[in-house]
Amino acid sequence: MECIALVLLLYHEKGTTLTEPQFTNALIHEKSPYLLQHAHNPVNWLPWGETAFNKAKQQNKPVFLSIGYSTCHWCHVMEHESFLDTKVADLLNTYFIPIKVDREERPDVDDVYMTVCQMITGSGGWPLSIFLTPDKKPFFAATYIPKISRFGRKGMLDLLPEVALLWKDKNDSVLQSAKNITAELSKLEIIKNDLVLPFPGNPDIAFQAFSERFDRERGGFGNAPKFPSPHNLLFLLRYVYYHENPGALNMVTKTLTEMGKGGIYDHIGYGFHSYSTDRDWRVPHFEKMLYDQAMLIMAYSETYQATRNLEFKTKAEQVCEYVLRDMTAPEGGFYSAEDADSDGVEGKFYIWSFKELLQNLTPKDLNIAVKFFNIDQKGNYHDEATRELTGNNIFYQKKSLSKTAQELSLSEKELNERLKIIRETLFKIRQNRVHPLKDDKILTDWNGMMIAALAKAGIIFGNKEYIYAAEKAAAFIFKNLEQSNGRLLHRYRLGDAAIPAFLDDYAFIIWGMIELYSATFNPDYLIKAKKLLNSTLDLFWDDKQHGFNNSANDNEKLLLSGRDVYDGATPSGNSVMFMNLLTLSKLTGDTKLEELADQQEMAFAAQVNRHPSAHGWFVSASEYATTSSIEIIVCGDPDAQDTRNMLNTIQKYYLPNKVVIVIPSSSKDKQLISFLPWLKDYKMIENKATVYVCRNRECQLPVNETESLRKQLEAFRAL
């Protein structure tokens, strides 16, 4: 009944009369909000699994595989246009076995068939539409398919009968085509890295590639659409540190500033939309993804740490506020996404007519909103299809706070106070609107990212609320998504945890544990990180080719095992594991982890050497491995003022190549020393908090005064 209630709610939110649905298919038993959205399609959808493929074999029918996710706008379009149409449904039900997959639940399935689509068509995206043989081999690939043929693009009503006829009359040809595609696909698994060494100039080549694509007027890279890609900004920030390059710093600060001013940012409720459809960051695709918030929190926090620009601190804190308010389950885990659509209209929740603003703001505040957020009486938001003005407005900034304050003859403090009132007023009004669907499934990998981000922000801003939220989320994951045998699961929703975890799940949770240790110095997190790393090596490490496979060695076997290293919307699992191996090696003193990291770097050297800028996080890890690292050991009670003073001094500096270990004078001391016996010789001097700073395993004299510590750290700021 809970599932039916949810689907009825979805129908209601999209403007459909609340009645008992006419159709129900097998997806009604699933937990994924995306699959449940299709549970009352007239299409006889089946979830991915042997039941569906056995049925295809028994009936000798091809499979129509449709892959998407709950906040995908064009997935919604294709559903309403085709999958709710009884003519299309009759064709699918008669001649095919239709299978629906949530790409966020099954990234392994999505990776395989997205690779197929890109290989066949030269591009990819969602919704993803693939025709398969009953043994899962693809023979046709596309993304969005319209219902009716137009502009030379075949629609479902024409394509489905043609594919069915081919399967019936030219079955041998179809099977041969599928065999050929699968053979080409298998070649991607073969990595030839004979004596290929990582190219030491990769960071410079990556920087040059970003520099050539950098939009010097608007920030970001390329023209349109523009994606946040915060991990690339994190690479550039590290490049600034290692190479003292002001050009790289300008790329980071300009991009973060322009994104924060643009319509891609939700100026009323905070948080970033997934990407901008235009060069100026003004018109977003309105969905909000948890991983974007996590990586952008990291980028804004670290950039504040490097520059001390308060605008970046404010933006990071606002995104944290959005996540903790709107994307956090009561039990502590983080939800996955918020949809672009409400009432069946993309962006409706976020846009404003001038009339609404006139009715709800004082004349003074309306004038401020018009000036600061570029409101137009005729609207500033164009329909994506017709390019005509809709009469609605997206909030965005053209000018800085100080410039607008001058034009309004206000002080910056006065303007900030009025903007706060405007935001609070409009936020309350917006709360009464029909909200976009919240995808409330909790994914282990995306939670790991957010745990790492909040812990990092908590360290940099000294905010215990963020650290507590990260700890609560970690506790939720290990309570609900860790099995008794220590294996992780990928997805949790409505009390149900399922799907064996993938490399990304382990990689990002380990990252989260490392950052939580750095935020709390609770050795439990460091011990957990090491335990999870050992499990990752057991489950995912490829002894022959080295590096990590995307799926565990005992997971369902697909056409590709997958060994991604290039960065997509987030850093790849292999890139994150490369950094994890190096960081845990320095934190634990386990040099075997460095040896594995070296093997991993060699395994992917040829691929990374070809396109360093597509592997920014991997290149960052490589540079971390080859430059002088900083190990800082603090002896003292973490709750004592002198220890806090030392730690606060350390955290003032942007030192991405540092690790910090605290040896507390408490019962935790014994636990940490038992785990890391080599720490037993580090002691407090004169019963005061004492810091040992080592650079590339060469240690300075211990210090117990903050000024002496500051001088040592200043010497390391530029390497």
Side-chain angles (χ1 to χ4, degrees):
M1 288 304 296
E2 192 169 19
C3 294
I4 293 174
L6 173 61
V7 175
L8 290 176
L9 176 61
L10 295 175
Y11 271 65
H12 177 64
E13 287 190 354
K14 295 182 183 300
T16 302
T17 304
L18 191 63
T19 59
E20 190 68 24
Q22 184 179 358
F23 304 99
T24 301
N25 58 51
L27 299 185
I28 195 66
H29 304 295
E30 296 298 305
K31 294 293 184 181
S32 157
Y34 174 67
L35 298 185
L36 287 169
Q37 285 172 3
H38 296 79
H40 293 292
N41 294 171
V43 178
N44 293 332
W45 294 115
L46 292 172
W48 178 277
E50 289 309 308
T51 298
F53 287 101
N54 287 337
K55 188 174 182 179
K57 292 172 184 175
Q58 291 164 6
Q59 298 183 17
N60 190 29
K61 288 182 179 180
V63 169
F64 175 73
L65 174 64
S66 177
I67 303 177
Y69 56 102
S70 68
T71 58
C72 165
H73 173 66
W74 284 99
C75 297
H76 298 327
V77 172
M78 193 166 175
E79 180 198 7
H80 283 276
E81 186 182 19
S82 293
F83 300 146
L84 289 173
D85 182 83
T86 54
K87 291 181 181 178
V88 173
D90 286 344
L91 289 170
L92 284 170
N93 296 339
T94 302
Y95 300 109
F96 302 89
I97 301 299
I99 296 178
K100 260 287 173 193
V101 167
D102 181 343
R103 68 172 295 265
E104 294 167 1
E105 278 199 336
R106 292 301 303 264
D108 54 337
V109 174
D110 180 61
D111 284 346
V112 170
Y113 295 107
M114 182 58 71
T115 301
V116 169
C117 185
Q118 291 169 337
M119 188 173 70
I120 293 175
T121 69
S123 63
W126 299 275
L128 181 59
S129 306
I130 307 285
F131 290 91
L132 310 176
T133 66
D135 56 356
K136 306 177 185 177
K137 294 178 181 176
F139 60 88
F140 181 90
T143 53
Y144 163 76
I145 304 173
K147 174 184 168 183
I148 299 171
S149 300
R150 55 178 180 261
F151 305 118
R153 188 175 193 171
K154 284 193 181 293
M156 294 288 280
L157 291 176
D158 291 324
L159 180 63
L160 294 176
E162 288 185 14
V163 174
L165 192 62
L166 279 172
W167 182 261
K168 179 176 178 290
D169 293 346
K170 297 185 178 180
N171 189 259
D172 289 345
S173 297
V174 173
L175 294 177
Q176 185 59 48
S177 176
K179 183 178 179 181
N180 293 341
I181 291 170
T182 304
E184 288 298 313
L185 195 63
S186 66
K187 293 179 183 178
L188 300 177
E189 295 273 71
I190 302 171
I191 300 176
K192 296 181 179 179
N193 266 337
D194 298 338
L195 301 178
V196 175
L197 296 173
F199 181 53
N202 274 339
D204 297 323
I205 295 171
F207 165 72
Q208 187 60 38
F210 285 123
S211 182
E212 290 170 359
R213 289 162 38 214
F214 180 59
D215 184 339
R216 283 162 175 76
E217 293 183 15
R218 305 291 184 228
F221 303 92
N223 194 352
K226 279 186 176 175
F227 295 84
S229 302
H231 46 287
N232 291 334
L233 302 179
L234 292 171
F235 159 75
L236 289 167
L237 204 56
R238 281 154 178 73
Y239 189 82
V240 174
Y241 172 76
Y242 291 124
H243 301 276
E244 299 183 75
N245 188 305
L249 182 60
N250 177 61
M251 282 191 259
V252 174
T253 57
K254 178 68 172 176
T255 299
L256 291 177
T257 298
E258 294 301 320
M259 279 198 304
K261 288 162 56 179
I264 191 175
Y265 187 65
D266 178 1
H267 291 271
I268 302 303
Y270 307 144
F272 280 88
H273 300 295
S274 60
Y275 66 88
S276 174
T277 62
D278 67 316
R279 177 192 172 198
D280 298 326
W281 303 106
R282 290 180 188 170
V283 183
H285 184 51
F286 287 93
E287 67 190 20
K288 290 181 179 178
M289 310 302 295
L290 183 69
Y291 57 76
D292 282 328
Q293 317 310 318
M295 297 304 297
L296 283 162
I297 288 170
M298 291 190 202
Y300 277 100
S301 299
E302 286 197 9
T303 305
Y304 164 74
Q305 191 180 36
T307 65
R308 292 291 149 178
N309 184 326
L310 287 173
E311 289 184 14
F312 300 134
K313 178 177 186 284
T314 298
K315 199 63 66 180
E317 290 175 332
Q318 288 176 347
V319 180
C320 289
E321 180 180 332
Y322 160 69
V323 170
L324 297 181
R325 183 191 66 225
D326 290 347
M327 299 298 287
T328 306
E331 303 89 348
F334 301 112
Y335 300 136
S336 294
E338 288 191 306
D339 205 340
D341 300 6
S342 54
D343 267 344
V345 179
E346 184 180 11
K348 185 176 180 180
F349 183 73
Y350 299 101
I351 56 181
W352 299 83
S353 69
F354 186 81
K355 183 179 179 181
E356 284 180 287
L357 300 175
L358 183 64
Q359 291 172 340
N360 292 287
L361 297 176
T362 65
K364 181 178 180 180
D365 285 346
L366 178 61
N367 183 50
I368 290 172
V370 167
K371 291 282 188 183
F372 191 75
F373 293 117
N374 295 282
I375 306 302
D376 194 296
Q377 291 193 41
K378 296 180 180 178
N380 63 26
Y381 176 43
H382 293 79
D383 181 87
E384 188 176 354
T386 66
R387 306 308 304 160
E388 295 180 358
L389 283 172
T390 63
N392 291 308
N393 289 277
I394 298 173
F395 282 25
Y396 67 89
Q397 292 174 245
K398 280 185 180 178
K399 300 173 183 175
S400 66
L401 181 81
S402 59
K403 184 74 173 176
T404 308
Q406 289 177 2
E407 292 180 358
L408 291 167
S409 299
L410 297 171
S411 69
E412 289 187 35
K413 181 180 179 181
E414 288 173 319
L415 179 55
N416 258 325
E417 289 173 351
R418 297 315 308 170
L419 288 172
K420 182 180 178 182
I421 292 170
I422 291 168
R423 286 186 174 112
E424 289 175 349
T425 300
L426 297 181
F427 181 79
K428 288 178 182 176
I429 294 167
R430 201 175 77 173
Q431 285 297 90
N432 292 320
R433 295 176 176 178
V434 175
H435 284 239
L437 170 72
K438 195 188 304 292
D439 188 331
D440 60 355
K441 68 176 179 291
I442 293 170
L443 300 175
T444 301
D445 51 347
W446 297 3
N447 272 251
M449 265 183 262
M450 186 54 70
I451 290 166
L454 286 172
K456 185 179 287 289
I459 296 168
I460 294 171
F461 304 139
N463 190 312
K464 293 183 178 179
E465 179 189 1
Y466 299 162
I467 297 170
Y468 172 74
E471 289 193 282
K472 189 175 179 182
F476 176 90
I477 294 296
F478 294 123
K479 177 182 177 182
N480 295 284
L481 285 146
E482 185 178 36
Q483 297 174 287
S484 58
N485 62 2
R487 296 281 294 265
L488 296 178
L489 295 170
H490 174 61
R491 185 269 292 147
Y492 174 93
R493 185 169 185 271
L494 298 176
D496 179 73
I499 307 170
F502 304 101
L503 174 63
D504 283 7
D505 296 304
Y506 283 86
F508 284 106
I509 281 292
I510 292 169
W511 188 1
M513 293 304 99
I514 291 170
E515 295 296 346
L516 265 183
Y517 172 73
S518 300
T520 65
F521 300 108
N522 181 342
D524 290 341
Y525 294 122
L526 186 58
I527 293 167
K528 189 68 172 179
K530 184 62 162 58
K531 182 179 178 181
L532 286 168
L533 186 140
N534 291 338
S535 296
T536 311
L537 290 168
D538 290 340
L539 294 168
F540 299 91
W541 182 257
D542 188 327
D543 286 322
K544 294 181 179 178
Q545 298 194 83
H546 300 154
F548 296 91
N549 293 320
N550 294 342
S551 292
N553 50 32
D554 57 354
N555 273 13
E556 177 187 355
K557 300 303 179 187
L558 300 172
L559 299 181
L560 283 175
S561 60
R563 286 165 48 82
D564 294 338
V565 67
Y566 61 87
D567 296 334
T570 62
S572 70
N574 265 290
S575 296
V576 175
M577 282 307 302
F578 187 14
M579 190 75 81
N580 288 343
L581 284 168
L582 294 168
T583 305
L584 284 173
S585 174
K586 297 178 191 306
L587 281 169
T588 65
D590 187 347
T591 57
K592 291 181 180 178
L593 300 183
E594 280 194 351
E595 294 172 12
L596 289 168
D598 183 61
Q599 293 175 18
Q600 187 185 14
E601 185 182 41
M602 292 288 290
F604 293 110
Q607 186 174 341
V608 175
N609 287 347
R610 283 194 292 271
H611 300 290
S613 63
H615 305 82
W617 198 246
F618 197 89
V619 175
S620 291
S622 181
E623 192 149 40
Y624 177 42
T626 55
T627 55
S628 298
S629 62
I630 301 169
E631 295 92 26
I632 303 173
I633 299 169
V634 181
C635 298
D637 181 356
D639 295 324
Q641 188 61 50
D642 60 345
T643 307
R644 289 203 301 270
N645 290 342
M646 290 295 195
L647 291 172
N648 289 338
T649 300
I650 293 167
Q651 298 304 345
K652 285 180 181 177
Y653 296 101
Y654 175 68
L655 299 168
N657 59 334
K658 78 173 187 304
V659 294
V660 182
I661 299 173
V662 171
I663 306 176
S665 52
S666 66
S667 60
K668 290 289 186 182
D669 183 356
K670 295 180 180 178
Q671 183 185 6
L672 184 64
I673 298 300
S674 175
F675 179 57
L676 304 175
W678 58 275
L679 291 175
K680 66 180 184 301
D681 295 328
Y682 290 91
K683 305 291 182 183
M684 295 172 65
I685 297 175
E686 298 175 358
N687 204 33
K688 295 167 66 177
T690 303
V691 181
Y692 299 78
V693 179
C694 306
R695 178 175 175 176
N696 209 27
R697 298 187 174 89
E698 295 178 3
C699 296
Q700 311 294 306
L701 291 173
V703 295
N704 53 19
E705 300 292 340
T706 54
E707 182 59 23
S708 300
L709 174 62
R710 187 189 65 77
K711 288 180 180 179
Q712 288 190 359
L713 296 177
E714 283 285 351
F716 298 151
R717 292 189 69 185
L719 302 181

